[in-house]
Amino acid sequence: MTIRKANASDVSNLHALEREIFTPENFPLSRASLSYHVKNNLIYVAEIEGEIAGYILALVKRRHAKLYSLGVNSLYRGQNVASKLLETIIFELLHMGFKQIFLEVRTDNETAIALYKKFGFNVKKTLEAFYLDKRDAYLMEFKAKE
Ligand SMILES: CC(C)(COP(=O)(O)OP(=O)(O)OC[C@H]1O[C@@H](n2cnc3c(N)ncnc32)[C@H](O)[C@@H]1OP(=O)(O)O)[C@@H](O)C(=O)NCCC(=O)NCCS
């Protein structure tokens, strides 16, 4: 598995992956949004045998970094792809000088919550009816060690 920064030539494949992972009610990112984020934020992809198996996106044009999206193709789940992506982006964000990383996750997404906790994120609060379908989110925070 290779973890590398995404570039403009990855946008089509990222868009296909995004539509596969996130159903319309989960508001998959559009091609234009992905293209914007490749240029202006931080996206890492995990490549396995030439295929993009997963990606992670962090918003960095702000005081605190925010993990905005993480997804792994269902064929490659349970093989540490998300863990490697998360490890890489946390390392990079700390290297960039961010002291806190935030994210929002659906309170019923046990897999993702377990993964984030494994990497040191803690639930800071519950955001009620955060999503358009009125589901709650947890706001989770990772703090850099002093
Ligand atoms: C959440 C997701 C990114 C995990 O990807 P993955 O590559 O399968 O994750 P990993 O193999 O790195 O697993 C890491 C950890 O996730 C958790 N996990 C993985 N599969 C799990 C499962 N079936 N049940 C519960 N926890 C699970 C565990 O904590 C695991 O750590 P462990 O192996 O030490 O027990 C993937 O399931 C996915 O894309 N889901 C749909 C999109 C999504 O929910 N994204 C996150 C919110 S935006």
PDB file of all heavy atoms in Angstrom, residues 21-22 70-72 76-83 109 111-112 114-116 118, ligand 1:
ATOM      1  N   ILE A  21     -18.751   5.173  -2.025  1.00  0.00           N
ATOM      2  CA  ILE A  21     -18.761   5.057  -0.559  1.00  0.00           C
ATOM      3  C   ILE A  21     -19.965   5.784   0.053  1.00  0.00           C
ATOM      4  O   ILE A  21     -20.607   5.268   0.962  1.00  0.00           O
ATOM      5  CB  ILE A  21     -17.461   5.643   0.038  1.00  0.00           C
ATOM      6  CG1 ILE A  21     -16.255   4.845  -0.422  1.00  0.00           C
ATOM      7  CG2 ILE A  21     -17.522   5.647   1.573  1.00  0.00           C
ATOM      8  CD1 ILE A  21     -14.917   5.476  -0.048  1.00  0.00           C
ATOM      9  N   PHE A  22     -20.229   6.996  -0.432  1.00  0.00           N
ATOM     10  CA  PHE A  22     -21.255   7.825   0.200  1.00  0.00           C
ATOM     11  C   PHE A  22     -22.490   7.902  -0.687  1.00  0.00           C
ATOM     12  O   PHE A  22     -22.422   8.383  -1.815  1.00  0.00           O
ATOM     13  CB  PHE A  22     -20.702   9.227   0.490  1.00  0.00           C
ATOM     14  CG  PHE A  22     -19.553   9.222   1.465  1.00  0.00           C
ATOM     15  CD1 PHE A  22     -18.251   9.383   1.026  1.00  0.00           C
ATOM     16  CD2 PHE A  22     -19.776   9.021   2.820  1.00  0.00           C
ATOM     17  CE1 PHE A  22     -17.186   9.360   1.913  1.00  0.00           C
ATOM     18  CE2 PHE A  22     -18.725   9.000   3.722  1.00  0.00           C
ATOM     19  CZ  PHE A  22     -17.421   9.161   3.266  1.00  0.00           C
ATOM     20  N   LEU A  70     -13.339  10.839   5.245  1.00  0.00           N
ATOM     21  CA  LEU A  70     -12.477   9.647   5.226  1.00  0.00           C
ATOM     22  C   LEU A  70     -13.314   8.514   4.659  1.00  0.00           C
ATOM     23  O   LEU A  70     -14.435   8.289   5.103  1.00  0.00           O
ATOM     24  CB  LEU A  70     -12.042   9.300   6.661  1.00  0.00           C
ATOM     25  CG  LEU A  70     -11.424   7.917   6.890  1.00  0.00           C
ATOM     26  CD1 LEU A  70     -10.088   7.782   6.144  1.00  0.00           C
ATOM     27  CD2 LEU A  70     -11.187   7.686   8.389  1.00  0.00           C
ATOM     28  N   GLY A  71     -12.782   7.836   3.680  1.00  0.00           N
ATOM     29  CA  GLY A  71     -13.542   6.720   3.117  1.00  0.00           C
ATOM     30  C   GLY A  71     -12.626   5.681   2.511  1.00  0.00           C
ATOM     31  O   GLY A  71     -11.573   6.013   1.950  1.00  0.00           O
ATOM     32  N   VAL A  72     -13.031   4.427   2.657  1.00  0.00           N
ATOM     33  CA  VAL A  72     -12.265   3.310   2.094  1.00  0.00           C
ATOM     34  C   VAL A  72     -13.235   2.464   1.269  1.00  0.00           C
ATOM     35  O   VAL A  72     -14.353   2.162   1.718  1.00  0.00           O
ATOM     36  CB  VAL A  72     -11.608   2.467   3.223  1.00  0.00           C
ATOM     37  CG1 VAL A  72     -10.950   1.211   2.658  1.00  0.00           C
ATOM     38  CG2 VAL A  72     -10.580   3.314   3.971  1.00  0.00           C
ATOM     39  N   TYR A  76     -11.650  -3.042   0.326  1.00  0.00           N
ATOM     40  CA  TYR A  76     -10.362  -2.939   1.031  1.00  0.00           C
ATOM     41  C   TYR A  76     -10.507  -2.646   2.518  1.00  0.00           C
ATOM     42  O   TYR A  76      -9.535  -2.319   3.184  1.00  0.00           O
ATOM     43  CB  TYR A  76      -9.504  -1.847   0.381  1.00  0.00           C
ATOM     44  CG  TYR A  76      -9.129  -2.120  -1.052  1.00  0.00           C
ATOM     45  CD1 TYR A  76      -9.806  -1.497  -2.091  1.00  0.00           C
ATOM     46  CD2 TYR A  76      -8.113  -3.017  -1.369  1.00  0.00           C
ATOM     47  CE1 TYR A  76      -9.482  -1.748  -3.417  1.00  0.00           C
ATOM     48  CE2 TYR A  76      -7.775  -3.273  -2.685  1.00  0.00           C
ATOM     49  CZ  TYR A  76      -8.463  -2.643  -3.707  1.00  0.00           C
ATOM     50  OH  TYR A  76      -8.126  -2.898  -5.010  1.00  0.00           O
ATOM     51  N   ARG A  77     -11.723  -2.742   3.033  1.00  0.00           N
ATOM     52  CA  ARG A  77     -11.919  -2.424   4.462  1.00  0.00           C
ATOM     53  C   ARG A  77     -11.328  -3.494   5.367  1.00  0.00           C
ATOM     54  O   ARG A  77     -11.187  -4.647   4.946  1.00  0.00           O
ATOM     55  CB  ARG A  77     -13.412  -2.226   4.761  1.00  0.00           C
ATOM     56  CG  ARG A  77     -13.877  -0.947   4.115  1.00  0.00           C
ATOM     57  CD  ARG A  77     -15.234  -0.510   4.544  1.00  0.00           C
ATOM     58  NE  ARG A  77     -15.643   0.600   3.676  1.00  0.00           N
ATOM     59  CZ  ARG A  77     -16.870   0.934   3.396  1.00  0.00           C
ATOM     60  NH1 ARG A  77     -17.874   0.274   3.949  1.00  0.00           N
ATOM     61  NH2 ARG A  77     -17.117   1.946   2.589  1.00  0.00           N
ATOM     62  N   GLY A  78     -11.009  -3.108   6.586  1.00  0.00           N
ATOM     63  CA  GLY A  78     -10.462  -4.055   7.554  1.00  0.00           C
ATOM     64  C   GLY A  78      -9.021  -4.431   7.278  1.00  0.00           C
ATOM     65  O   GLY A  78      -8.509  -5.412   7.795  1.00  0.00           O
ATOM     66  N   GLN A  79      -8.353  -3.653   6.431  1.00  0.00           N
ATOM     67  CA  GLN A  79      -6.941  -3.941   6.104  1.00  0.00           C
ATOM     68  C   GLN A  79      -6.051  -2.775   6.502  1.00  0.00           C
ATOM     69  O   GLN A  79      -4.995  -2.556   5.913  1.00  0.00           O
ATOM     70  CB  GLN A  79      -6.794  -4.193   4.597  1.00  0.00           C
ATOM     71  CG  GLN A  79      -7.548  -5.396   4.094  1.00  0.00           C
ATOM     72  CD  GLN A  79      -7.415  -5.529   2.572  1.00  0.00           C
ATOM     73  OE1 GLN A  79      -6.404  -5.164   1.973  1.00  0.00           O
ATOM     74  NE2 GLN A  79      -8.452  -6.044   1.942  1.00  0.00           N
ATOM     75  N   ASN A  80      -6.520  -1.981   7.466  1.00  0.00           N
ATOM     76  CA  ASN A  80      -5.730  -0.859   7.989  1.00  0.00           C
ATOM     77  C   ASN A  80      -5.539   0.300   7.021  1.00  0.00           C
ATOM     78  O   ASN A  80      -4.646   1.125   7.234  1.00  0.00           O
ATOM     79  CB  ASN A  80      -4.348  -1.323   8.477  1.00  0.00           C
ATOM     80  CG  ASN A  80      -4.441  -1.945   9.846  1.00  0.00           C
ATOM     81  OD1 ASN A  80      -5.261  -1.532  10.659  1.00  0.00           O
ATOM     82  ND2 ASN A  80      -3.624  -2.944  10.089  1.00  0.00           N
ATOM     83  N   VAL A  81      -6.332   0.350   5.953  1.00  0.00           N
ATOM     84  CA  VAL A  81      -6.172   1.450   4.998  1.00  0.00           C
ATOM     85  C   VAL A  81      -6.498   2.774   5.689  1.00  0.00           C
ATOM     86  O   VAL A  81      -5.715   3.732   5.640  1.00  0.00           O
ATOM     87  CB  VAL A  81      -7.060   1.241   3.749  1.00  0.00           C
ATOM     88  CG1 VAL A  81      -7.000   2.459   2.839  1.00  0.00           C
ATOM     89  CG2 VAL A  81      -6.631  -0.016   2.992  1.00  0.00           C
ATOM     90  N   ALA A  82      -7.647   2.834   6.372  1.00  0.00           N
ATOM     91  CA  ALA A  82      -8.030   4.075   7.062  1.00  0.00           C
ATOM     92  C   ALA A  82      -7.006   4.419   8.140  1.00  0.00           C
ATOM     93  O   ALA A  82      -6.658   5.591   8.319  1.00  0.00           O
ATOM     94  CB  ALA A  82      -9.421   3.924   7.667  1.00  0.00           C
ATOM     95  N   SER A  83      -6.527   3.414   8.846  1.00  0.00           N
ATOM     96  CA  SER A  83      -5.537   3.672   9.909  1.00  0.00           C
ATOM     97  C   SER A  83      -4.288   4.325   9.338  1.00  0.00           C
ATOM     98  O   SER A  83      -3.759   5.283   9.903  1.00  0.00           O
ATOM     99  CB  SER A  83      -5.156   2.367  10.616  1.00  0.00           C
ATOM    100  OG  SER A  83      -6.287   1.793  11.194  1.00  0.00           O
ATOM    101  N   ASN A 109     -22.052   5.829  13.859  1.00  0.00           N
ATOM    102  CA  ASN A 109     -20.973   5.263  13.035  1.00  0.00           C
ATOM    103  C   ASN A 109     -19.897   4.646  13.943  1.00  0.00           C
ATOM    104  O   ASN A 109     -18.801   5.188  14.126  1.00  0.00           O
ATOM    105  CB  ASN A 109     -20.374   6.336  12.116  1.00  0.00           C
ATOM    106  CG  ASN A 109     -19.489   5.746  11.032  1.00  0.00           C
ATOM    107  OD1 ASN A 109     -19.072   4.581  11.135  1.00  0.00           O
ATOM    108  ND2 ASN A 109     -19.187   6.521  10.018  1.00  0.00           N
ATOM    109  N   THR A 111     -17.908   2.122  13.751  1.00  0.00           N
ATOM    110  CA  THR A 111     -16.603   1.767  13.170  1.00  0.00           C
ATOM    111  C   THR A 111     -15.680   2.982  13.149  1.00  0.00           C
ATOM    112  O   THR A 111     -14.529   2.914  13.601  1.00  0.00           O
ATOM    113  CB  THR A 111     -16.786   1.269  11.720  1.00  0.00           C
ATOM    114  OG1 THR A 111     -17.791   0.280  11.716  1.00  0.00           O
ATOM    115  CG2 THR A 111     -15.507   0.702  11.160  1.00  0.00           C
ATOM    116  N   ALA A 112     -16.214   4.089  12.630  1.00  0.00           N
ATOM    117  CA  ALA A 112     -15.385   5.294  12.529  1.00  0.00           C
ATOM    118  C   ALA A 112     -15.034   5.821  13.926  1.00  0.00           C
ATOM    119  O   ALA A 112     -13.888   6.219  14.167  1.00  0.00           O
ATOM    120  CB  ALA A 112     -16.113   6.353  11.709  1.00  0.00           C
ATOM    121  N   ALA A 114     -14.704   4.147  16.708  1.00  0.00           N
ATOM    122  CA  ALA A 114     -13.665   3.275  17.292  1.00  0.00           C
ATOM    123  C   ALA A 114     -12.295   3.606  16.700  1.00  0.00           C
ATOM    124  O   ALA A 114     -11.286   3.664  17.414  1.00  0.00           O
ATOM    125  CB  ALA A 114     -14.015   1.809  17.039  1.00  0.00           C
ATOM    126  N   LEU A 115     -12.287   3.842  15.398  1.00  0.00           N
ATOM    127  CA  LEU A 115     -11.030   4.176  14.713  1.00  0.00           C
ATOM    128  C   LEU A 115     -10.464   5.501  15.244  1.00  0.00           C
ATOM    129  O   LEU A 115      -9.282   5.596  15.587  1.00  0.00           O
ATOM    130  CB  LEU A 115     -11.323   4.272  13.209  1.00  0.00           C
ATOM    131  CG  LEU A 115     -10.228   4.800  12.299  1.00  0.00           C
ATOM    132  CD1 LEU A 115      -9.040   3.858  12.300  1.00  0.00           C
ATOM    133  CD2 LEU A 115     -10.756   4.958  10.877  1.00  0.00           C
ATOM    134  N   TYR A 116     -11.315   6.522  15.343  1.00  0.00           N
ATOM    135  CA  TYR A 116     -10.835   7.828  15.801  1.00  0.00           C
ATOM    136  C   TYR A 116     -10.344   7.748  17.258  1.00  0.00           C
ATOM    137  O   TYR A 116      -9.343   8.354  17.609  1.00  0.00           O
ATOM    138  CB  TYR A 116     -11.939   8.886  15.660  1.00  0.00           C
ATOM    139  CG  TYR A 116     -12.376   9.131  14.226  1.00  0.00           C
ATOM    140  CD1 TYR A 116     -13.723   9.260  13.881  1.00  0.00           C
ATOM    141  CD2 TYR A 116     -11.440   9.243  13.200  1.00  0.00           C
ATOM    142  CE1 TYR A 116     -14.123   9.489  12.568  1.00  0.00           C
ATOM    143  CE2 TYR A 116     -11.828   9.455  11.879  1.00  0.00           C
ATOM    144  CZ  TYR A 116     -13.167   9.577  11.583  1.00  0.00           C
ATOM    145  OH  TYR A 116     -13.560   9.792  10.279  1.00  0.00           O
ATOM    146  N   LYS A 118      -9.085   5.165  18.688  1.00  0.00           N
ATOM    147  CA  LYS A 118      -7.809   4.448  18.661  1.00  0.00           C
ATOM    148  C   LYS A 118      -6.644   5.410  18.396  1.00  0.00           C
ATOM    149  O   LYS A 118      -5.547   5.222  18.884  1.00  0.00           O
ATOM    150  CB  LYS A 118      -7.863   3.375  17.565  1.00  0.00           C
ATOM    151  CG  LYS A 118      -6.770   2.334  17.643  1.00  0.00           C
ATOM    152  CD  LYS A 118      -6.976   1.230  16.635  1.00  0.00           C
ATOM    153  CE  LYS A 118      -6.300   1.535  15.324  1.00  0.00           C
ATOM    154  NZ  LYS A 118      -6.340   0.404  14.384  1.00  0.00           N
TER     155      LYS A 118
HETATM  156  C1  LIG B   1     -14.683   3.866   8.667  1.00  0.00           C
HETATM  157  C2  LIG B   1     -13.761   3.317   7.553  1.00  0.00           C
HETATM  158  C3  LIG B   1     -13.053   4.519   6.910  1.00  0.00           C
HETATM  159  C4  LIG B   1     -12.728   2.360   8.174  1.00  0.00           C
HETATM  160  O1  LIG B   1     -11.823   1.968   7.148  1.00  0.00           O
HETATM  161  P1  LIG B   1     -10.913   0.638   7.260  1.00  0.00           P
HETATM  162  O2  LIG B   1      -9.793   0.807   6.281  1.00  0.00           O
HETATM  163  O3  LIG B   1     -11.742  -0.562   7.145  1.00  0.00           O
HETATM  164  O4  LIG B   1     -10.363   0.766   8.761  1.00  0.00           O
HETATM  165  P2  LIG B   1      -9.105  -0.010   9.347  1.00  0.00           P
HETATM  166  O5  LIG B   1      -8.942  -1.328   8.689  1.00  0.00           O
HETATM  167  O6  LIG B   1      -7.955   0.919   9.342  1.00  0.00           O
HETATM  168  O7  LIG B   1      -9.622  -0.257  10.829  1.00  0.00           O
HETATM  169  C5  LIG B   1      -9.219   0.598  11.829  1.00  0.00           C
HETATM  170  C6  LIG B   1     -10.107   0.504  13.044  1.00  0.00           C
HETATM  171  O8  LIG B   1     -11.467   0.771  12.699  1.00  0.00           O
HETATM  172  C7  LIG B   1     -12.282   0.003  13.558  1.00  0.00           C
HETATM  173  N1  LIG B   1     -13.014  -0.961  12.736  1.00  0.00           N
HETATM  174  C8  LIG B   1     -12.718  -1.384  11.471  1.00  0.00           C
HETATM  175  N2  LIG B   1     -13.677  -2.230  11.033  1.00  0.00           N
HETATM  176  C9  LIG B   1     -14.580  -2.323  12.043  1.00  0.00           C
HETATM  177  C10 LIG B   1     -15.792  -3.014  12.196  1.00  0.00           C
HETATM  178  N3  LIG B   1     -16.288  -3.803  11.218  1.00  0.00           N
HETATM  179  N4  LIG B   1     -16.484  -2.864  13.368  1.00  0.00           N
HETATM  180  C11 LIG B   1     -16.004  -2.060  14.363  1.00  0.00           C
HETATM  181  N5  LIG B   1     -14.849  -1.385  14.263  1.00  0.00           N
HETATM  182  C12 LIG B   1     -14.146  -1.510  13.128  1.00  0.00           C
HETATM  183  C13 LIG B   1     -11.383  -0.684  14.543  1.00  0.00           C
HETATM  184  O9  LIG B   1     -11.141   0.203  15.632  1.00  0.00           O
HETATM  185  C14 LIG B   1     -10.142  -0.837  13.722  1.00  0.00           C
HETATM  186  O10 LIG B   1      -9.024  -0.962  14.511  1.00  0.00           O
HETATM  187  P3  LIG B   1      -8.440  -2.461  14.880  1.00  0.00           P
HETATM  188  O11 LIG B   1      -8.222  -3.151  13.566  1.00  0.00           O
HETATM  189  O12 LIG B   1      -7.180  -2.141  15.622  1.00  0.00           O
HETATM  190  O13 LIG B   1      -9.517  -3.082  15.701  1.00  0.00           O
HETATM  191  C15 LIG B   1     -14.558   2.531   6.469  1.00  0.00           C
HETATM  192  O14 LIG B   1     -15.359   1.576   7.118  1.00  0.00           O
HETATM  193  C16 LIG B   1     -15.457   3.412   5.584  1.00  0.00           C
HETATM  194  O15 LIG B   1     -15.024   3.946   4.560  1.00  0.00           O
HETATM  195  N6  LIG B   1     -16.740   3.551   5.972  1.00  0.00           N
HETATM  196  C17 LIG B   1     -17.695   4.351   5.198  1.00  0.00           C
HETATM  197  C18 LIG B   1     -17.395   5.837   5.255  1.00  0.00           C
HETATM  198  C19 LIG B   1     -17.278   6.360   6.680  1.00  0.00           C
HETATM  199  O16 LIG B   1     -18.046   5.990   7.558  1.00  0.00           O
HETATM  200  N7  LIG B   1     -16.296   7.260   6.901  1.00  0.00           N
HETATM  201  C20 LIG B   1     -16.019   7.841   8.204  1.00  0.00           C
HETATM  202  C21 LIG B   1     -16.902   8.984   8.529  1.00  0.00           C
HETATM  203  S1  LIG B   1     -16.808  10.288   7.347  1.00  0.00           S
END
